Amino acid sequence: MRSIGLAPSALRFGLVDLQPFEETIEEKFGNVKFIVKQLRLRPSESFRDYSTLSSSKDSLRDFITDFFEKSVQQNPDLKKLVEETERGGLSSGGKFELTSLFADFAAKYAKGIDEHVKLEISKFIDSDLPFTVFDQFSLFDRTFAMFLSTLTEASASMQRLVSLSYRARGVPASRHQLDEFKRKIRSVLSASDVTWVSSFSLRLYLELTHSTSLDELFKPKQFRLENLEKNEFDRLLRELTMNNLRFRQQLIQYGPRGEMPEFEVKGPVYSVWREMNEQLT
Amino acid sequence: MGLPGCLLYDANILFTLLEGWLHQALTGNIAPSSFFVNAERVHLEAKRIGVPCLASHQSYSALEDRVKRVNDFAADTLRSFVQFLRQEKTVSGQLSPFDSNEDIFLVERFIVEQFRPLGQSKNWEKESLRLLERLIFDAILRATGKRGSTTSTQSVIDQILGTLVDLTRISDGRQTCLVRLQSEVKAPTVFGDPQLFREIKNNVLIGDDEDVGQLSVAIQHQKTANIWTVFVTTDYAHVISVAGDILSKFKLQCSAPLYAIAYLERLSAKGGPVPDPKQYIR
């Protein structure tokens, strides 16, 4: 779950940087050769370059890059998603495969989210930090689950439209469809990126203030308020809160779609929470 | 074209709408509160006839402070209970089993300890503790299956963790409702003027600074935008009871939700689409 950090970059690269290319493919059926023209969508630059460019240049860069690379290697689904993105999301037959990979990834992400949130809540129990911090981390994760599902559905729909436009009016028409898709999705992707940066910044700040060496980063530890610089901590938390809300706003404006993760709340917890709220009025 | 005016909601109306929508989203039922029914009625009617609905930044901020206070208090209490339980049940570095016959009294001891520093006041905290005590009790029953049986202490802790995860689910539902609220009830760019704030406090004798702050934004907005602004509130005790004074001294109409549109219609009938409030109020 921690390797989800790379997902926004992979998705941004996989969608926003797509370009339509017409390719001539030679196919053989028995002894007969067929020349087939086919539309492909592929990124305009390599994902590796993109991820390198977006890395910060501070002393932590190597450690964090290494950390994420290892995390990706340990997560088979994300590893496959990143590899496919690097290849332009195409199978050997030229079929665009990122959509089905997104779908698998989105479904598994939504399924595992409660366990992930529970792990975060364990950190809250062992710390003396305010609940808001972990609540905001959870809000990011849950919004991200909705975002993945939306992206899967939107990407599949884009594939269909681009393909129809290509068959009807060639590459220029498919380019128009693709540009329209990219224009609409860009603000949601940007909001996702910015919020991920906010979320990771706060996590990293907590890690850095509770570690004496790089080796201790992202290892289990107990967070203590006394180790934090109040203004900086408040600023990072405020930014995450604001960006989480913007991320959800952008997503709702775009129109959440696909299979939305269900977050059922058990009766007694909600009724107690509601009563506590009402008694404050 | 809608009425030439707007409604400006107080923090309680915002809270009522938000919690009502959340209740509907989480339970599938309409919130069983007359406050919500009335607030939603005026809100839907305003939308239907194209009257803008507004709320001050202070009201939105009060909304967030309120939920933060509830979440923090609930989560802090549950965290303290887990830490207390771990301390009581750790023997030689291991958690011993939880015997519901005997260990259920740990909850009682814990709650008594939490009550102790609260003293005579802090009624909200006391009532909240009683509610949370029930949640802890329920969590233990879920872990043990039935009264009188023994289970691992870790499974009790897991149930408490599950309760905290439920709080994050509520936050998630609330976030979606908050986005809807912010899109339907915008915050005007005006802020309360300190001089006006003092004038309201001295002339109308409203004690609560939060109420005074919201009123000053409504008055400022009416003046700046030059459109009739009806301040919608459910606070009969401090605001509606002095609505006449506020209208005569500050030319601002305050109203309970059910009458807000009617007041706006009455004010608008006196003037054109963009009336000068000073001109039409006697």
Side-chain angles (χ1 to χ4, degrees):
Chain A
M1 213 60 168
R2 64 185 184 176
S3 47
I4 195 64
L6 268 188
S9 293
L11 299 174
R12 161 176 286 283
F13 173 77
L15 291 172
V16 167
D17 294 322
L18 282 180
Q19 295 295 331
F21 291 90
E22 191 173 49
E23 294 187 352
T24 305
I25 299 166
E26 194 180 273
E27 286 186 9
K28 254 186 157 181
F29 291 92
N31 292 324
V32 186
K33 276 185 192 172
F34 288 87
I35 304 295
V36 181
K37 280 193 172 179
Q38 194 173 36
L39 183 78
R40 283 188 173 196
L41 301 174
R42 65 175 180 233
S44 56
E45 55 180 318
S46 92
F47 175 67
R48 200 169 293 283
D49 288 347
Y50 181 86
S51 57
T52 308
L53 281 173
S54 61
S55 295
S56 64
K57 290 180 179 174
D58 62 35
S59 60
L60 285 171
R61 185 193 60 194
D62 293 343
F63 177 86
I64 291 169
T65 306
D66 186 51
F67 170 76
F68 277 127
E69 277 179 7
K70 279 181 188 156
S71 301
V72 169
Q73 294 305 317
Q74 285 161 11
N75 182 333
D77 298 317
L78 192 56
K79 185 181 170 196
K80 199 172 173 194
L81 184 60
V82 170
E83 283 170 359
E84 285 298 327
T85 307
E86 282 180 345
R87 281 209 296 271
L90 299 171
S91 68
S92 52
K95 196 181 162 203
F96 192 72
E97 282 206 327
L98 270 181
T99 307
S100 61
L101 284 172
F102 282 163
D104 285 351
F105 188 73
K108 284 180 182 160
Y109 185 81
K111 207 175 163 191
I113 205 158
D114 270 348
E115 274 311 302
H116 176 65
V117 171
K118 209 168 178 178
L119 282 176
E120 292 288 335
I121 294 297
S122 305
K123 292 180 193 166
F124 162 74
I125 294 282
D126 293 332
S127 78
D128 66 355
L129 303 191
F131 180 68
T132 318
V133 176
F134 301 89
D135 201 20
Q136 289 299 329
F137 285 149
S138 146
L139 272 176
F140 171 72
D141 290 331
R142 293 187 193 283
T143 309
F144 200 81
M146 293 166 71
F147 165 73
L148 284 177
S149 176
T150 300
L151 212 53
T152 303
E153 185 70 20
S155 177
S157 158
M158 175 269 286
Q159 292 292 312
R160 285 192 296 273
L161 285 172
V162 167
S163 177
L164 280 173
S165 300
Y166 170 68
R167 270 183 247 150
R169 284 172 291 153
V171 173
S174 65
R175 186 184 297 278
H176 173 74
Q177 281 288 354
L178 196 57
D179 286 346
E180 186 63 8
F181 167 77
K182 289 194 283 191
R183 188 184 62 76
K184 284 183 182 162
I185 200 107
R186 183 163 278 136
S187 54
V188 189
L189 285 172
S190 298
S192 154
D193 279 354
V194 169
T195 315
W196 177 78
V197 168
S198 261
S199 172
F200 185 68
S201 300
L202 182 54
R203 283 175 202 274
L204 188 59
Y205 175 71
L206 293 177
E207 289 291 337
L208 289 171
T209 47
H210 289 80
S211 305
T212 49
S213 69
L214 286 179
D215 293 339
E216 286 180 25
L217 291 179
F218 305 110
K219 301 271 166 62
K221 53 180 67 75
Q222 296 185 342
F223 297 119
R224 289 280 170 265
L225 275 173
E226 64 187 8
N227 293 338
L228 307 177
E229 204 275 294
K230 193 179 179 309
N231 288 341
E232 185 61 2
F233 171 64
D234 287 349
R235 183 186 70 79
L236 289 167
L237 181 57
R238 202 169 46 244
E239 278 183 13
L240 176 60
T241 306
M242 210 168 59
N243 288 327
N244 263 334
L245 189 61
R246 279 195 196 138
F247 185 16
R248 186 71 65 105
Q249 275 167 345
Q250 289 295 336
L251 190 60
I252 288 175
Q253 210 171 315
Y254 183 77
R257 57 196 82 166
E259 211 166 305
M260 284 293 113
E262 283 182 19
F263 302 123
E264 188 200 345
V265 181
K266 293 184 194 92
V269 181
Y270 171 61
S271 64
V272 163
W273 182 85
R274 204 184 68 205
E275 274 190 66
M276 285 174 70
N277 266 286
E278 281 171 357
Q279 282 169 15
L280 261 184
T281 59
Chain B
M1 189 179 161
L3 284 170
C6 70
L7 304 180
L8 198 139
Y9 296 159
D10 81 346
N12 285 336
I13 300 280
L14 277 191
F15 171 79
T16 304
L17 284 174
L18 183 63
E19 299 312 307
W21 292 341
L22 177 62
H23 185 86
Q24 210 157 349
L26 294 179
T27 66
N29 301 319
I30 294 172
S33 136
S34 60
F35 284 118
F36 174 67
V37 173
N38 291 349
E40 200 183 37
R41 182 187 283 190
V42 70
H43 185 68
L44 293 177
E45 180 63 5
K47 264 173 75 176
R48 194 183 66 78
I49 61 176
V51 170
C53 301
L54 309 168
S56 68
H57 286 287
Q58 289 97 316
S59 298
Y60 271 110
S61 170
L63 204 64
E64 291 316 292
D65 289 348
R66 186 179 297 180
V67 76
K68 192 174 174 304
R69 191 169 163 201
V70 169
N71 281 351
D72 282 349
F73 187 83
D76 283 349
T77 304
L78 295 174
R79 170 165 62 187
S80 299
F81 177 70
V82 170
Q83 289 167 350
F84 171 80
L85 192 60
R86 277 182 185 158
Q87 194 182 319
E88 293 294 320
K89 298 299 295 175
T90 299
V91 180
S92 312
Q94 299 281 318
L95 281 176
S96 60
F98 188 94
D99 171 3
S100 64
N101 271 338
E102 281 306 313
D103 294 330
I104 197 75
F105 298 114
L106 289 175
V107 182
E108 189 186 29
R109 256 179 62 200
F110 170 75
I111 293 293
V112 169
E113 286 300 315
Q114 298 297 304
F115 262 98
R116 211 182 296 280
L118 294 179
Q120 293 298 311
S121 55
K122 308 228 173 187
N123 287 332
W124 177 78
E125 283 83 353
K126 285 181 190 166
E127 191 49 42
S128 297
L129 269 181
R130 287 188 195 99
L131 291 165
L132 292 166
E133 181 180 26
R134 198 174 81 205
L135 271 191
I136 295 172
F137 209 84
D138 286 348
I140 290 172
L141 282 184
R142 279 200 305 275
T144 53
K146 58 181 181 185
R147 211 166 281 180
S149 55
T150 298
T151 187
S152 70
T153 298
Q154 187 54 49
S155 68
V156 174
I157 293 172
D158 283 345
Q159 286 296 333
I160 303 287
L161 287 181
T163 301
L164 286 163
V165 171
D166 275 350
L167 281 182
T168 68
R169 288 198 188 108
I170 294 172
S171 293
D172 181 66
R174 187 182 177 279
Q175 184 89 328
T176 298
C177 295
L178 182 63
V179 168
R180 177 182 167 193
L181 191 67
Q182 288 187 336
S183 76
E184 294 183 14
V185 183
K186 305 271 185 214
T189 45
V190 293
F191 292 90
D193 166 25
Q195 194 186 332
L196 185 59
F197 187 92
R198 278 193 296 275
E199 276 178 37
I200 300 170
K201 228 173 155 142
N202 295 336
N203 287 305
V204 197
L205 302 174
I206 293 177
D208 189 333
D209 283 358
E210 197 182 303
D211 289 338
V212 177
Q214 295 181 63
L215 280 171
S216 74
V217 169
I219 294 165
Q220 281 282 99
H221 178 261
Q222 179 165 266
K223 203 171 150 188
T224 319
N226 195 26
I227 56 168
W228 294 112
T229 301
V230 173
F231 182 70
V232 188
T233 177
T234 48
D235 191 342
Y236 278 87
H238 304 101
V239 181
I240 296 176
S241 61
V242 289
D245 286 349
I246 298 170
L247 184 64
S248 63
K249 286 173 181 140
F250 299 99
K251 306 188 192 319
L252 178 77
Q253 180 68 58
C254 299
S255 166
L258 288 180
Y259 315 103
I261 300 279
Y263 273 122
L264 195 60
E265 279 170 342
R266 185 202 271 180
L267 289 168
S268 304
K270 292 179 179 176
V274 187
D276 174 3
K278 288 177 194 155
Q279 190 184 338
Y280 296 103
I281 295 177
R282 273 172 280 167

